[in-house]
Amino acid sequence: MRSEALKKGGLLGARTLGARGPAESHRSSDSASELPRGVNSAPKESKDSKAEPATPAEPAGAEPSTEKSPKTEKAAKGKDGKDSKEGKDGKEAKEGKNKGKGGGKAPKFVSDNPNFRYIVRVANTDLDGTRPTGLALTGVGGVGLRLAEVACRLANVPAAEMIGNLSEETVEGIEATLNALPTKVPLWMVNHTREPLMGESLHYIGPDLETRRRDDVNIMRMVRSYRGVRHERGQKVRGQRTRSNGRTGMAAGVLKKDAKAAAAAAGKEESGPAAAAPAAAAPTAAPAKAAAPAKPAAGAKKE
């Protein structure tokens, strides 16, 4: 109880402060005497601060320097953070890209053969010289992959060789082989077997095939055969169903409503002028009747 009373009065705290030993009181007095009043001690230097060199302090009378330190040139950085060097190679690459977009396209394949031909003409058809002979010949009308391989074997030409590397004599031999196919291949490989006009089996290639097809259709029209009539009407020729496909008449669905509305509007326009003509003639007939003299009544006397 007594200690609590002393604590409240502040006496116990004062005693405890004064109960320090002589050594502690001496140290505290020395530290207090060394530092002037109102000055705090500097904090201890950390490891980072020791590593940094101290900057020299400017004299008190010296004016602050206004000169700016030269800026280091920052190199342009790319996507990966590395310096991007735009030299001659970079400019040339950019120019090449721009030329590829807008300018003419460079050929995909460049041959070392000085006699190489990028365009080869066979049966009035231009073929790509960079393709193998077996595939390039399929660009001719009436020649499929099988006939192209047969023609290469008959002409003793490798089908895998580029057609641009072949000489003109070899290409002419291939064309002669294509023209003579009916005599060198079975009849089921020919596109015109036993023609009624010529009585022979022929094989048309190139533009001649399209010309011959047009002539066949015209002959069927002139004869008025079923196929010719179907060609003339633009209908299916080979027996296909036409209920849901190949419609050539009036459009069905929503377009049919528009067609009906247009037909009704056209009918109204035609009926309009015809109805207006009698109405205009009626007023002109009325004055004519009014101008005629009135007939006297039956029992009236003449004056």
Side-chain angles (χ1 to χ4, degrees):
M1 296 294 292
R2 187 177 179 182
S3 61
E4 291 178 2
L6 292 174
K7 286 181 181 178
K8 290 180 180 180
L11 297 175
L12 184 61
R15 286 182 182 178
T16 54
L17 292 173
R20 294 179 182 177
E24 292 180 359
S25 61
H26 180 69
R27 289 176 186 173
S28 61
S29 62
D30 292 342
S31 60
S33 62
E34 289 177 0
L35 295 175
R37 189 173 184 180
V39 178
N40 297 328
S41 61
K44 294 182 178 180
E45 294 181 359
S46 61
K47 296 180 181 179
D48 299 337
S49 61
K50 289 180 180 178
E52 296 177 358
T55 56
E58 296 181 356
E63 297 180 358
S65 60
T66 58
E67 295 180 0
K68 296 181 180 180
S69 59
K71 294 182 179 180
T72 57
E73 296 180 358
K74 295 182 180 180
K77 294 185 178 180
K79 295 181 180 179
D80 301 334
K82 298 179 181 179
D83 299 341
S84 61
K85 298 179 181 179
E86 294 184 0
K88 295 181 179 180
D89 299 338
K91 292 181 179 179
E92 289 176 0
K94 289 182 180 179
E95 290 175 0
K97 290 181 181 179
N98 297 332
K99 286 181 181 179
K101 291 180 180 177
K105 295 182 179 179
K108 296 180 181 179
F109 172 77
V110 179
S111 176
D112 298 334
N113 185 5
N115 298 326
F116 186 85
R117 293 181 295 170
Y118 291 95
I119 296 176
V120 180
R121 193 163 183 83
V122 178
N124 297 329
T125 307
D126 293 337
L127 304 179
D128 186 4
T130 60
R131 300 187 70 189
T133 306
L135 294 177
L137 290 176
T138 57
V140 180
V143 179
L145 184 60
R146 180 178 293 177
L147 280 177
E149 292 179 355
V150 169
C152 290
R153 289 182 182 179
L154 293 175
N156 297 324
V157 176
E161 181 66 24
M162 287 189 183
I163 194 171
N165 286 325
L166 303 179
S167 61
E168 294 183 5
E169 292 79 6
T170 308
V171 174
E172 290 176 0
I174 293 173
E175 187 173 356
T177 304
L178 292 174
N179 292 327
L181 278 177
T183 60
K184 297 182 179 181
V185 297
L187 293 180
W188 55 268
M189 296 183 70
V190 177
N191 53 18
H192 279 70
T193 57
R194 297 175 185 175
E195 281 196 350
L197 296 177
M198 307 289 293
E200 299 176 358
S201 296
L202 301 175
H203 187 84
Y204 293 97
I205 59 173
D208 297 339
L209 178 62
E210 182 63 24
T211 304
R212 185 59 191 170
R213 190 197 64 81
R214 196 181 304 112
D215 293 342
D216 292 342
V217 173
N218 291 335
I219 290 171
M220 285 187 287
R221 287 180 180 177
M222 292 171 61
V223 175
R224 304 301 295 173
S225 64
Y226 176 78
R227 291 178 64 186
V229 172
R230 299 290 287 180
H231 272 297
E232 190 173 352
R233 293 180 180 178
Q235 297 291 337
K236 303 284 184 180
V237 177
R238 301 182 180 180
Q240 297 95 324
R241 294 174 178 266
T242 57
R243 179 177 180 179
S244 60
N245 217 4
R247 294 184 176 182
T248 58
M250 184 182 296
V254 181
L255 298 177
K256 194 171 183 179
K257 297 180 180 179
D258 299 340
K260 287 184 178 180
K268 289 182 181 179
E269 291 178 357
E270 292 178 358
S271 61
T284 57
K289 292 181 180 180
K295 293 182 180 182
K301 294 181 178 180
K302 295 182 180 179
E303 294 179 359

